[in-house]
Each structure stands twice: as structure tokens, then as C-alpha cells.
Amino acid sequence: MLSIGVLSVLSLSASQAQNVAANYPGAQPVNIVVGFSAGGSTDMLGRLLAKAFAEELGGNFIVESRPGANSNIASGYVARAKPDGHTLLMVPFGLPVNQYLYQQVPYDFKKDFAPIALVAQVPNAIVVKADSPVKTVKQYVEQSKASKEGRTYSTPGVGSSLHLAGELFKYETQAPLLHVPYKGSAPSLTAVMAGDTDSAFDNLSTVVPHVEAGKLRILAVTSKVRSASFPDLPTVAESGYPGYEISSYFGLAAPAGTPSEIVDRLNKATLKALRSPELSEYLKNLGAIVADNKPEEFAAFLNSEGERWGPVIKAAGIQPN
């Protein structure tokens, strides 16, 4: 599906770019745009980055929330912004995926952005009720296939990374699971604890308190590698399904045409910030996986994400909004 309504932005001239990069960020504030409401993990991470950038680069970095349409509003806004490094996007999972979930998106994720860095990947987790006889992913798949009606899994909503985590699980395991969407993590996980659904997919950091309270059991994490914060938890890939891997993630991007010097400075500032005690502690509490990466590596990551989800969403029968 092609996006429409994209407004083109002229790149800065070479002399303008050099001048902007030399004085960046200067006196003009830098807006870090977040596509979700204030108070969530994306917003909090954006604020920690803004603080670190101000200390490292000088200037004034401000987080601006533009929630709505699974981050399409924020992404479209940044795509049309002046490419001078003063408008940045906290890149959400939906940036390369929304093209399959919406009939129209106000940007082309490959053409309208200059990727800066993949900030962190946050594993999701597959959970069941604490007293469930199912203790492994293989047992859950076998139980689902043996059941006439299959099994159910709940998530915080249709089209979320957690919904797609469940659909990818079905795609890779051929387990007959039925998605039951709720409006948020709290009711989704409550449904599992009450026995209304058989399992749930949610962020690792969200489910851990319920596991510690003895109400839920984690079968596996969905990331490619184990979380350093919870090294005893196996991955789905280790559990017998090597093709399975999905994480929620946070990244940073600027509008296409932003001078490469500014992109490189922001990349270096991001990687330095990720090693700071305050940001490291926050990401550790999320169970996040962090790795140094260059702008071109983040661009390749986004391209691969854009390619992989089309077949999964089509197989799931998820209709564009």
C-alpha cells in the first residue's frame, strides 16, 4: 500500500547545511516529537534523551506529544518539518508497519526520514495464569493444536506490536489461537488472571510485577536474545521456533534532508546517553536490549521491519483502518 498526501521538503543547500551543523543546536529549541500521550515509556525515554542531549550538545531540547492514529499524526508532522535537526521523532514500532494497518499514512517511511539511532528494543512476553499446567511454549502450542476450539490470547489492542507478536506466533507455530483485544494492558492481563483468556502478550516490564505477585507465569520472551535484566527467561526461538522474533522498540529520526553532520552528532550523543547511569537504570527496568548502532544500521533495521510484516498481517486477515 502506498502512502499518499506526503508533502515534499527541499533539502538545505550545502552552505546552509554546513552553517546549521556547525552551530547546532544553537538558540532554537529542538522538539523531540512523541506519538503517544505523556507519561508512557516513549515519552519518558524521550525526556531522558532530551536531558542528556542538552547536557552533551547544549541548547534546549523539548519533548512534544502529538498522540493519535498509532503515531501516524506525529510521524507525518515530523516528515513535513524543516530538515535542520530541530524537529526529531521518537520512532515507534508502527513507523514501518502502519502502511499495512491503515489505508493511508501521511509519510513514506523510507523516503521521508533520516534515521539517527535505534535506541532500545524491549522484549514482549507470553504469559499464562500462574496455576496453569502449561509451563513451556511447546506445551502451549501442543495444547492449542489438540484443542477443538484452540486457545485465546489477549492484548492491549488491535494493530499494536503486542497484537502482531501474537499473530507472528500463530504464523510461525501454526497454533490455532484467537485474538481477544482489550483497551489497555491492565484489562488484558486481568483477563488472563481471571481465566477469561488463556494467555496474553505484553511488554516484559508490564508483566513482571504480576509474576512477582504470583498471579502470572512467563513462558518466554519474544526477543531474539534473552533480556539481560531477566536472563533466566528463554526466548521463543530457543523454545523450538527459531523463526520467531519481535520486540517493541524506540528509535530516533529526523526529517529526510537533515545534514549528515547533525545526524552523526545526534547518533553519537544518543549512544553516549545510553551509557549514562540514569538512562541505563531506566532501560534496565524495562528489560531493554541496547546495542551501539550507526544511522545506516538503523535504516536497514527499519527497512527489514517494513518488509517482514506484510505477509504476517495479510495471513492474520487484519483489515486496514
Side-chain angles (χ1 to χ4, degrees):
M1 180 184 302
L2 297 177
S3 63
I4 66 172
V6 177
L7 301 180
S8 62
V9 179
L10 296 177
S11 297
L12 298 172
S13 68
S15 60
Q16 286 178 314
Q18 290 176 357
N19 184 56
V20 168
N23 298 290
Y24 183 79
Q28 181 182 347
V30 178
N31 284 357
I32 301 177
V33 181
V34 174
F36 304 97
S37 299
S41 54
T42 309
D43 174 72
M44 292 298 297
L45 184 54
R47 293 180 187 280
L48 290 172
L49 283 174
K51 179 182 177 182
F53 289 162
E55 294 173 354
E56 176 67 15
L57 302 173
N60 189 15
F61 288 78
I62 302 170
V63 172
E64 178 183 357
S65 295
R66 287 181 174 262
N70 199 27
S71 75
N72 276 338
I73 293 174
S75 299
Y77 173 78
V78 175
R80 298 187 295 271
K82 186 177 180 180
D84 60 2
H86 288 88
T87 305
L88 308 176
L89 175 69
M90 284 297 297
V91 176
F93 178 89
L95 185 73
V97 177
N98 283 346
Q99 60 181 322
Y100 305 112
L101 299 174
Y102 290 81
Q103 294 181 4
Q104 299 178 358
V105 292
Y107 60 85
D108 182 320
F109 84 91
K110 291 185 178 181
K111 296 179 180 180
D112 292 340
F113 297 96
I116 294 170
L118 175 63
V119 176
Q121 293 174 279
V122 179
N124 302 319
I126 307 174
V127 297
V128 295
K129 195 174 180 181
D131 60 3
S132 169
V134 176
K135 293 181 171 59
T136 67
V137 170
K138 277 200 168 184
Q139 286 179 351
Y140 188 51
V141 172
E142 291 168 357
Q143 183 192 75
S144 299
K145 290 181 177 180
S147 171
K148 291 183 179 180
E149 66 277 9
R151 288 292 182 265
T152 55
Y153 76 93
S154 54
T155 73
V158 174
S160 65
S161 64
L162 301 165
H163 178 199
L164 296 184
E167 294 303 326
L168 181 64
F169 187 81
K170 288 170 57 178
Y171 189 78
E172 294 290 342
T173 67
Q174 297 301 302
L177 300 178
L178 175 65
H179 178 223
V180 183
Y182 286 83
K183 293 182 178 180
S185 289
S188 171
L189 296 178
T190 298
V192 181
M193 292 183 279
D196 295 331
T197 60
D198 298 299
S199 63
F201 286 76
D202 214 315
N203 295 133
L204 181 57
S205 59
T206 303
V207 304
V208 164
H210 300 289
V211 174
E212 293 176 341
K215 296 179 180 180
L216 293 175
R217 174 189 299 137
I218 297 176
L219 299 182
V221 293
T222 65
S223 49
K224 186 176 182 179
V225 298
R226 295 191 182 199
S227 167
S229 302
F230 305 96
D232 294 335
L233 295 175
T235 66
V236 175
E238 290 175 325
S239 303
Y241 304 95
Y244 186 91
E245 185 270 321
I246 176 176
S247 294
S248 300
Y249 58 83
F250 308 97
L252 194 68
T258 299
S260 60
E261 295 87 350
I262 291 178
V263 171
D264 289 339
R265 287 189 68 188
L266 286 167
N267 175 268
K268 291 182 174 63
T270 301
L271 301 185
K272 183 175 181 179
L274 293 177
R275 294 188 288 270
S276 69
E278 187 175 12
L279 199 46
S280 294
E281 182 66 19
Y282 180 74
L283 292 171
K284 179 181 178 182
N285 291 336
L286 289 180
I289 299 167
V290 180
D292 285 357
N293 62 102
K294 297 179 179 179
E296 56 268 27
E297 292 173 321
F298 184 33
F301 172 82
L302 289 174
N303 289 341
S304 66
E305 286 290 288
E307 293 170 359
R308 72 187 290 228
W309 286 109
V312 176
I313 291 171
K314 183 178 180 180
I318 302 173
Q319 296 298 314
N321 291 325

